[in-house]
Each structure stands twice: as C-alpha cells, then as structure tokens.
Amino acid sequence: MAKYFGTYGVRRKLSEIQPEFVSGLCAAFGTYSKSGKIIVGRDTRTSGEMLQKAAVAGLLSAGCKVIELGVVPSPTVEMECRDMECDGGVIITASHNPPDWNAMKFMGPKGVGLPKEKGEKVEEIYDSGESNRASWNQLKEVTYYFNAVTDHINKILANTDTQAVRERKPFVVIDCANGTASKLAPYLFRELGCKVVSLNAQPDGHFPGRHSEPTQKNISDLISTVTTLGADMGIAWDGDADRVIFIDEKGGYVWGDKSFALSVKMRLKEKKGPVVTTVATSNVVKDVTEAEGCKLEYVRVGAPYISEKMLELNAVMGGEEVGGVVWPEVSWGKDGLMTAAKILELVCTSGKPLSKLIAELPVYYNSKTKVDTLEKDKQAIMNAVVDKVRQSQPKARLNTIDGVRADLGGEWFIARPSGTENYVRVFAEAKSQERADELTSKYKALVEEVVKSI
Ligand code: MG
C-alpha cells in the first residue's frame, strides 16, 4: 500500500508537506529517474516557490539536471516534458484543493503521470534512505526556461482551426480562478481573435476570486457574466488548468462528461481509433464512441492510468468525467486549455450554439451516494460487494478494475472505494432520474449490508 502516493502524486495540507519532506521525496524520485533530466513547474499557491525550491534541491542532490519553468499550467509541464525529451517531471500543485494544500505530481518520460504503483517504488527508495547523493563534482545545473507558455499557445494554435474561429470572432468570458490558467488563457483567446472578458485572471495563491474547483456554485459569477453580457460561452478552469468546465450561451452549466463527449465526437469524425476513459464515466461517451465505430477502453480512476493506456493503445483521445480531456497531439496529460480551444472551434465550425451541441447528445440521469465503511477493511468489503453484485446481477457485464461497475444495457452502476477516505461511493446512471435513484438506493443498501457483516 502506498504510504504517500494517491492517484496522481502526493497531495496534503501544507503542515504535512514541508520542504524537508518534498526535498527528500524528490531526491528519491531523482534516483528512481536514474539521475536524468527533470522538468519542474508549479501553480500559483503561496507555498509554491518554497516547495519548488525544495523539490529542485532534492533533484539536484540526486544528480539530476533540472529545467525550471516557473508558474505554468500543469498541462504545459506535461507537454514540455515530452517535447524536451525529459526523463521525468515534478509539478508543485494541489490542483483544485483549498489554498492551504499543496502537492507534487510526478511524471515519467513522455510526460506520463506516475500512478500509485510506480509511486510506491519512489517511496521504497525514500524510506530506505538510499537516494543517490551526487558528490560536489557531479552536481548538475538548473536551466530556467521561460518560453513554455508561448510554446503551449503555439502548439494549441497549430492544432486548432484558427481561421474558423477568427472569422466568427466569438465572445467568450473566461474565469481563470487566480490559478495557472491566468498565465495562458487570456493570451490564447486573444490570439484566436475572440472578444475576451477575463475574470480572476491575476495569479494569486490566496484564490481571492473563487474556490479553485469549478463547481456550478463556485463559478456563479461567470454564469451571470455570460448571460448579462450575452457571451457565446463561459470557460472556467481549476487551479492548475488541466480541467475545464463550460457555460453555454444561455448560462447552462455543461457537465464535464458532456464536453468530453463533444470532444470525442469531434475527434472521431476526423480520426478513428480507440478512446480511453475511467470506469466512472457516463455512457454518453460510450455512445458517441460506438456511434463512430470505435472502441471505448476503461481504466481505473486516475489521470496516469488514462495516459498509460492511451500510449499503450496509441489511442486518439482520453479523458475523465470531471472535465479533463487528453489530446495526444499536444501531450499525454489532461489539457484544459486545448480542450477550451477545441470546443470553441466546434462551435465556430458547426455554426451551432453550445447549448444546441449539448442538446444533440444522448441524455442520461445520474444519482450518487456514499456508504461509511466505519474504518473496516475496505478490500474485504469490496470483495464481498463484488460477490453479491455478481449474484444479484448474473446477466450484467461486470468490470472490476476499480470497485465494481455493472452495465445493465442502457444503465449502469458502480460501487468503488474512495482512495483517501473511509467510504464506498455508489453511483448510478439511467434513462430516468427515478431509475437512477432506485439503483443507487438498492446498491447502497447492498453495500451497507456488507459493511455490517464484515
Ligand atoms: Mg487539476
């Protein structure tokens, strides 16, 4: 079991992720990466500079060569890691967590995130105290590279139908959450010829504008600005800009699985191939993938699993339901900025407003709940839950790579253990709200029964 690593790196409150820990773990990561060339970037958090310096010190001590990018979006680091042929990377970012948190996202060659299992190898080196320690005459240098944001903008523009967007001159309101999107998004949309109104676009680790997670409640200012000003679209990122959420021209909140489905539809019309997502993703993505004659591959929940599988299958697209889409022509990481440019391109090339494009997608209803596992053995609980689901649904197609997902033809449910808390989450999707609620209450009761019996 991983001691420190979650689904993508090590994320904690600052009190539990102090510089000496960061430096030590990065020395272990540098050792794991064979003292190679490591790229480092960070988000706008107040603890970012302190922890970045600690990370760089640890990497240098392990004999690594370091390239520092400064404050940039996470997808920018993932892109440069691949393009600069680095042996790995570290991003100091706690993504959408509150301002008193911070984290390290680690990636390997090609900018593919390190999943928990590989993180455990880094932990073993850290715990053994046997990280490489370069002698004075083996220490390498730090290179400061300040063109990463421009590189990223240029790569997005090169892979977008800029002419279609520039001709249409759409009006967009963007909300950068005072996070790293502030460094790139206002310039990208200006380059695309849009009329742009920016909210929370000054980098600020106190996140004074809004909470960094783009939930419907947190981006209410953006929603009202879109409708008041009559914009074509609103766009909001999380703190490190790998995830993006859209607001349609009527002020409607577009759930991440819908924008992912639009991205898949758009991609598969131009290029066929496998698509990768997690077992927690809506059937709307499966429907649009299969409608184009392509296959949707499921992986466990966690960005690195998506990237790894995409690379293995040479997939044309990947993503997850919270608004993270991977565009392999740019990088192997979720890129909220590329996704924003492509959805805007789709609106401009189709001539349809975003609300109409969304309305053309299949409609599903969902329902979610969770069951307290009372600090009991989650693995034993899940084993029993899988058995019971198998007995109760002999005809269902089961996927047990992460909890248990049962597909019942047009509807499905999943029971999966939380990675960080003592819960089993139960989620269902169906053709009506009543049916989705019915499925969650039925399987919530099943999980509760199992918890009681363990
Ligand atoms: Mg994020």
Side-chain angles (χ1 to χ4, degrees):
M1 276 290 281
K3 224 156 85 182
Y4 312 111
F5 274 72
T7 47
Y8 189 4
V10 179
R11 196 178 299 185
R12 292 165 168 217
K13 280 196 167 180
L14 180 60
S15 55
E16 296 165 20
I17 190 163
Q18 288 292 316
E20 49 274 37
F21 172 65
V22 170
S23 167
L25 202 64
C26 284
F29 174 68
T31 306
Y32 169 86
S33 307
K34 301 194 169 40
S35 303
K37 181 168 73 170
I38 307 294
I39 196 159
V40 180
R42 69 173 173 96
D43 72 12
T44 61
R45 281 162 204 275
T46 55
S47 57
E49 183 154 28
M50 171 178 79
L51 297 186
Q52 176 183 271
K53 288 194 155 78
V56 171
L59 292 165
L60 289 171
S61 77
C64 296
K65 185 174 160 44
V66 175
I67 302 172
E68 268 196 52
L69 303 182
V71 177
V72 294
S74 294
T76 310
V77 187
E78 289 162 327
M79 180 198 83
E80 294 288 19
C81 186
R82 185 171 93 178
D83 290 354
M84 292 184 176
E85 297 179 347
C86 295
D87 300 292
V90 183
I91 314 173
I92 305 295
T93 176
S95 186
H96 58 271
N97 282 51
D100 58 331
W101 285 64
N102 216 327
M104 291 166 271
K105 283 182 174 179
F106 294 99
M107 69 197 89
K110 297 189 166 69
V112 173
L114 232 59
K116 211 186 252 184
E117 296 72 21
K118 288 183 178 164
E120 281 171 10
K121 304 260 184 272
V122 176
E123 288 180 5
E124 276 169 29
I125 298 170
Y126 176 75
D127 286 339
S128 71
E130 287 176 3
S131 294
N132 292 345
R133 293 297 187 186
S135 60
W136 70 272
N137 56 356
Q138 291 172 325
L139 290 169
K140 307 257 173 49
E141 74 278 22
V142 180
T143 311
Y144 299 91
Y145 184 72
F146 298 116
N147 239 7
V149 163
T150 310
D151 290 347
H152 196 180
I153 290 176
N154 288 340
K155 204 165 181 188
I156 293 172
L157 293 174
N159 288 287
T160 303
D161 186 347
T162 51
Q163 199 187 339
V165 181
R166 285 175 185 145
E167 275 170 13
R168 174 99 202 284
K169 295 188 180 50
F171 177 12
V172 296
V173 184
I174 61 176
D175 180 344
C176 302
N178 304 108
T180 55
S182 316
K183 291 278 183 176
L184 194 155
Y187 311 100
L188 171 67
F189 291 96
R190 197 189 298 154
E191 285 283 322
L192 280 165
C194 301
K195 179 180 172 190
V196 188
V197 169
S198 305
L199 308 180
N200 308 316
Q202 74 283 21
D204 189 332
H206 297 273
F207 299 112
R210 67 162 166 93
H211 190 290
S212 58
E213 172 140 42
T215 60
Q216 194 161 2
K217 187 167 148 266
N218 290 341
I219 59 170
S220 56
D221 283 351
L222 173 68
I223 296 173
S224 59
T225 309
V226 168
T227 51
T228 307
L229 300 182
D232 294 302
M233 189 191 285
I235 308 171
W237 293 270
D238 75 331
D240 68 332
D242 58 344
R243 280 167 48 196
V244 61
I245 283 293
F246 297 91
I247 301 302
D248 70 30
E249 78 291 351
K250 295 176 179 166
Y253 184 91
V254 178
W255 293 94
D257 50 12
K258 302 264 182 181
S259 48
F260 178 28
L262 283 185
S263 305
V264 170
K265 212 171 157 181
M266 183 181 188
R267 167 52 39 97
L268 296 181
K269 292 232 180 290
E270 62 190 28
K271 191 177 180 190
K272 304 276 187 246
V275 176
V276 178
T277 193
T278 77
V279 284
T281 297
S282 165
N283 267 354
V284 65
V285 175
K286 182 166 170 271
D287 290 354
V288 297
T289 305
E290 290 177 354
E292 293 297 330
C294 296
K295 187 157 191 285
L296 185 65
E297 293 280 344
Y298 288 106
V299 294
R300 295 173 61 187
V301 173
Y305 299 117
I306 297 174
S307 309
E308 280 191 334
K309 193 59 146 184
M310 286 183 71
L311 200 60
E312 181 193 322
L313 301 174
N314 197 19
V316 293
M317 177 152 278
E320 55 183 18
E321 83 291 354
V322 288
V325 184
V326 182
W327 303 80
E329 63 270 45
V330 179
S331 75
W332 294 112
K334 294 177 295 176
D335 189 338
L337 299 146
M338 176 66 174
T339 308
K342 295 301 278 185
I343 294 290
L344 188 64
E345 175 192 317
L346 181 63
V347 167
C348 294
T349 51
S350 68
K352 294 175 187 170
L354 184 56
S355 66
K356 178 120 201 304
L357 292 167
I358 297 296
E360 289 171 357
L361 292 170
V363 178
Y364 289 101
Y365 296 86
N366 61 55
S367 174
K368 61 179 163 185
T369 185
K370 56 187 182 183
V371 178
D372 195 332
T373 51
L374 309 170
E375 302 194 3
K376 292 185 178 176
D377 181 352
K378 268 195 281 185
Q379 194 51 53
I381 291 170
M382 283 318 300
N383 291 344
V385 167
V386 173
D387 286 345
K388 279 198 175 280
V389 168
R390 193 167 275 134
Q391 287 159 18
S392 76
Q393 292 288 353
K395 288 193 181 139
R397 208 151 36 82
L398 299 192
N399 185 325
T400 55
I401 50 173
D402 194 352
V404 55
R405 171 173 169 143
D407 275 277
L408 312 157
E411 57 186 38
W412 60 278
F413 68 88
I414 187 168
R416 54 177 292 270
S418 160
T420 48
E421 295 166 291
N422 289 322
Y423 290 114
V424 169
R425 298 185 192 284
V426 180
F427 178 97
E429 186 179 74
K431 290 274 169 66
S432 73
Q433 190 62 54
E434 295 70 33
R435 179 63 184 151
D437 292 341
E438 195 183 310
L439 282 169
T440 42
S441 50
K442 182 173 171 189
Y443 290 96
K444 182 185 183 196
L446 182 147
V447 177
E448 279 172 342
E449 202 183 303
V450 168
V451 171
K452 240 186 254 169
S453 72
I454 296 280

